[in-house]
Amino acid sequence: MTTERRSHRRAMRLAAATVATAAGLALLAACGGSSDDSSSATSTGAGAKPAAGTSGSTAIPTQDVVSSIAADPKLKAELPAKIRSSGTLTLGTTQQPGVQGLPHAGQQDGKDVGLDVDLRNAVAKVLGVTWDVQNGTFPTIIPGVQNGRYDVGQDNFGVTKEREKVVDFATYLDDGQAFLGSRNVSLTSVKKLTDLCGLTIATSPGSTFQQILTDGAGDCAKIGKKPYKVQYFADSAPIFLGLANGKVDVMFGPTLGLKYDATRIPGTRFLGEISTTVVGFVTARNSPLAPVLRDAVNKLIADGDYARIFAKWGVPGTGISTSQLNPAATF
């Protein structure tokens, strides 16, 4: 899909201030690349996020669902000797300051937080290693994995046929391609791209969202309607500003993130998704790491730690029952 995340690079507080000043809309928290359900978290610990229907809350879950996870000696033994010796895996990802990238990833009090962060840290615990997190840009992570700069890439990368030609995937969640609408448009749902004819759509460049919109660019003309216009932004903050001031009608992004956004950004509504994509860690082609990552995710699923992570972030229903290596791509 992305299902990527969408490269969210501005702190939520700055985005909120910008939108509040320009359009009187407080961005209370916000969202790439993720999915099916955004129901309330089951945890009630301090700082736990309220039910998804509670619009306008900035509460971020803080409960620790990772530190108690024990290393699995058998899985650690599957790692290449060099990594077992160093005890470190290099991870390429994009930096997500503030809380705009949540539930996938963000920062609070200088610490990385989010569903993706908890998942990767849980995988590291199972394998008995630590992550050396290095930040790149969304378009450079996969090339960085290919050339050996990173051992593993994680940025809500959806499985696509083109990506599977150059990297291996170890899947860890389901996500989709969905739409967030402005209050300035009468549209209440999107079931196909032609529902967007004549509207201005904002999305992230270098993503599967761009691929889908590009592939469907001529569909409106075929039915005698005005084509949609597409604007590309590396940050989500300008998109939210555009939704508020009427310069953007619809945001195209990951289902998981947009459902999360719709409950927190006044004047927006979730319009539905048009497709789904499984998301995974990426490694170099034929790397011995991909099967180990798959096995680690499956260990978390079997032990219940995986479900606890999804419950913490209030997004049960977006997980997978089994991690797979290079599953069949949906597009």
Side-chain angles (χ1 to χ4, degrees):
M1 106 174 299
T2 154
T3 43
E4 309 85 70
R5 257 165 26 108
R6 290 45 296 64
S7 308
H8 298 306
R9 300 190 176 285
R10 292 181 55 187
M12 174 276 192
R13 290 187 179 90
L14 293 178
T18 300
V19 177
T21 299
L25 174 62
L27 297 185
L28 299 173
C31 167
S34 206
S35 186
D36 296 333
D37 190 3
S38 190
S39 57
S40 62
T42 58
S43 175
T44 57
K49 183 173 69 60
T54 308
S55 180
S57 173
T58 58
I60 297 173
T62 59
Q63 55 269 40
D64 180 0
V65 292
V66 173
S67 65
S68 64
I69 297 173
D72 186 312
K74 292 182 179 179
L75 293 183
K76 184 173 183 178
E78 295 179 16
L79 291 167
K82 181 179 178 181
I83 293 172
R84 292 200 309 272
S85 176
S86 68
T88 302
L89 280 168
T90 302
L91 179 82
T93 190
T94 54
Q95 190 173 27
Q96 306 288 348
V99 296
Q100 279 191 356
L102 294 176
H104 285 287
Q107 287 187 330
Q108 186 179 43
D109 299 328
K111 288 186 58 178
D112 291 335
V113 296
L115 173 69
D116 292 2
V117 177
D118 281 344
L119 282 172
R120 72 184 184 225
N121 288 341
V123 165
K125 292 283 287 185
V126 169
L127 297 179
V129 297
T130 59
W131 292 111
D132 174 11
V133 179
Q134 298 186 9
N135 296 316
T137 63
F138 184 78
T140 64
I141 301 300
I142 286 181
V145 170
Q146 289 179 267
N147 65 29
R149 179 176 182 179
Y150 312 122
D151 296 318
V152 181
Q154 184 199 32
D155 207 35
N156 206 37
F157 290 113
V159 175
T160 68
K161 294 176 183 177
E162 290 302 310
R163 287 174 179 162
E164 286 193 320
K165 291 178 182 178
V166 296
V167 291
D168 284 343
F169 280 85
T171 61
Y172 61 83
L173 62 77
D174 276 330
D175 208 342
Q177 292 77 31
F179 300 92
L180 185 71
S182 163
R183 60 182 169 186
N184 298 313
V185 295
S186 58
L187 193 66
T188 58
S189 67
V190 176
K191 299 184 184 302
K192 54 188 182 302
L193 290 182
T194 50
D195 292 336
L196 302 165
C197 296
L199 299 180
T200 298
I201 308 166
T203 194
S204 56
S207 65
T208 53
F209 307 118
Q210 178 178 1
Q211 178 184 335
I212 290 170
L213 292 173
T214 300
D215 290 347
D219 291 353
C220 292
K222 292 177 183 177
I223 60 173
K225 292 187 176 182
K226 187 177 179 180
Y228 51 72
K229 297 179 181 179
V230 184
Q231 297 180 357
Y232 296 103
F233 299 90
D235 296 339
S236 59
I239 299 179
F240 296 139
L241 177 58
L243 290 169
N245 64 25
K247 293 184 178 180
V248 171
D249 297 314
V250 175
M251 178 179 182
F252 190 27
T255 303
L256 191 154
L258 295 192
K259 281 190 172 183
Y260 187 88
D261 292 339
T263 67
R264 289 158 175 76
I265 303 176
T268 63
R269 57 178 171 268
F270 183 75
L271 299 177
E273 67 179 6
I274 59 170
S275 53
T276 59
T277 308
V278 67
V279 173
F281 295 105
V282 296
T283 69
R285 286 289 291 167
N286 301 314
S287 167
L289 287 175
V292 184
L293 293 169
R294 174 202 60 197
D295 294 345
V297 173
N298 282 328
K299 171 71 172 175
L300 292 169
I301 292 172
D303 290 351
D305 296 303
Y306 181 88
R308 281 186 281 275
I309 292 170
F310 279 78
K312 170 184 173 179
W313 291 99
V315 286
T318 60
I320 55 178
S321 59
T322 304
S323 176
Q324 294 181 295
L325 183 63
N326 296 328
T330 55
F331 61 91

